[in-house]
Amino acid sequence: MRALVLTGPGAAEVREVEPPAAGPGQVVVDVERTGVCGTDMELFSGEMSYLRTGRSRYPLRPGHEWCGRVAELGAGVDPSWLGRRVVGDTMLGCGRCDRCRQGRHHVCPDLAELGISRGAAGALAERLAVPVAALHRLPDTVDATSGALVEPGGNALRAVRAAGLEAGERLLVLGTGTIGLLAALFARAGGAEVHLMGRAEPDLRLAAGLGFRHAWTRATLPGLPWHAVIDATNAAAMPALALGLAEPGRRVVYIGLAGTPSTLDTRELVLKDVTAVGVLAGRRPPGAGPGPKIHIDPRQ
């Protein structure tokens, strides 16, 4: 089958590779659509930190935002999965450790990330092998492009829920990339007053096209009370800005990752009594605290 292979910084090619086989507890999926994430771009450019730590290495087959149809079943897999349209988790835990048994597989010490780390081949290919435990059924009413957006959408939805907003309260989203815009859409669907901040005026055009009237740059951002702030950027200075902008006693959610370390003044965090939440993956683990204050229907 054909697959995209990253062979080194700035180097990629489509290769003929051996098609995957479904091992015990796995399925093989005919890939319908795959998205390209900022992580994929950093893996291609060589800027991804995992390449320096050895967690990722070339050659590498990327792609973790995908949808498809189950074509083959491994031993022990329920036959009802055959022929179903599915999406899947990126974070593949071992399934045996305490974290996995508690529903926190995305922070498993032996974590493999599909298309990213530990040699887990990704979905920029004709076929993909994936554990059945990582699958989620995709209705036929959802088109392929929307299906490939489920993985980043799950991350964005969890970030909005972590913000702890009531309907009518004001959310500031830093960043107008895919995750920032998805978070803004979910928050708007839940009744929040949503504002976005981008780097420059051209970055705000897509937000305006999605119907967001409150889109700003740092220079034009109004001095309003922000009941929650979501940092969906990759800029090292933004986490501190998010904390500085948040209302005392409220929440800051960090879902963006900068290429270099960020710094926060924990005195400000304490004295403002702000709750800081980090979001790594879309699945909300059991025992993660109270559910969302605003009701968000992901189908909207």
Side-chain angles (χ1 to χ4, degrees):
M1 69 171 189
R2 293 174 302 166
L4 180 68
V5 181
L6 307 184
T7 57
E13 57 189 58
V14 176
R15 289 183 177 176
E16 291 287 335
V17 301
E18 283 294 318
Q26 291 186 326
V27 303
V28 171
V29 174
D30 285 333
V31 177
E32 192 174 0
R33 188 68 52 85
T34 304
V36 176
C37 175
T39 299
D40 299 320
M41 298 303 295
E42 289 184 358
L43 289 168
F44 171 71
S45 68
E47 297 172 355
M48 178 66 178
S49 62
Y50 283 5
L51 293 166
R52 294 189 290 277
T53 63
R55 187 168 182 142
S56 300
R57 61 189 63 191
Y58 301 118
L60 184 148
R61 284 167 47 186
H64 60 274
E65 302 175 356
W66 59 273
C67 68
R69 193 175 296 273
V70 176
E72 295 179 15
L73 307 179
V77 176
D78 187 328
S80 67
W81 283 105
L82 190 63
R84 287 193 175 275
R85 291 182 77 225
V86 293
V87 297
D89 293 335
T90 298
M91 310 294 188
L92 308 179
C94 70
R96 302 179 300 275
C97 68
D98 287 344
R99 294 177 191 173
C100 285
R101 288 196 297 267
Q102 294 165 1
R104 296 183 290 127
H105 64 274
H106 61 298
V107 287
C108 171
D110 292 321
L111 178 71
E113 295 163 275
L114 197 72
I116 299 172
S117 69
R118 299 204 174 181
L124 278 166
E126 293 181 273
R127 286 191 146 197
L128 172 71
V130 63
V132 70
L135 296 183
H136 305 274
R137 296 179 181 182
L138 185 69
D140 286 334
T141 52
V142 178
D143 65 39
T145 299
S146 299
L149 281 168
V150 167
E151 194 277 340
N155 285 270
L157 178 58
R158 186 169 166 227
V160 171
R161 286 175 167 168
L165 290 167
E166 301 276 4
E169 290 187 319
R170 189 177 296 112
L171 170 68
L172 176 62
V173 179
L174 305 180
T176 54
T178 300
I179 295 295
L181 290 173
L182 286 170
L185 288 166
F186 279 125
R188 184 173 67 184
E193 179 188 317
V194 180
H195 295 244
L196 294 110
M197 192 185 90
R199 292 172 298 183
E201 289 295 336
D203 297 326
L204 307 178
R205 291 172 186 161
L206 182 53
L210 293 171
F212 290 101
R213 296 182 296 107
H214 307 303
W216 318 95
T217 64
R218 183 68 185 98
T220 62
L221 185 70
L224 298 171
W226 307 109
H227 302 123
V229 181
I230 295 176
D231 174 18
T233 75
N234 61 359
M238 289 298 103
L241 177 63
L243 174 59
L245 292 171
E247 274 286 282
R250 303 309 296 258
R251 289 190 170 204
V252 176
V253 181
Y254 295 110
I255 190 171
L257 284 173
T260 57
S262 304
T263 57
L264 285 177
D265 186 342
T266 56
R267 295 170 300 180
E268 184 174 13
L269 187 73
V270 171
L271 293 172
K272 291 182 69 173
D273 196 27
V274 167
T275 299
V277 182
V279 170
L280 174 64
R283 179 169 288 181
R284 182 173 172 271
K293 291 185 178 182
I294 59 174
H295 173 72
I296 304 168
D297 184 347
R299 296 169 296 179
Q300 291 184 321

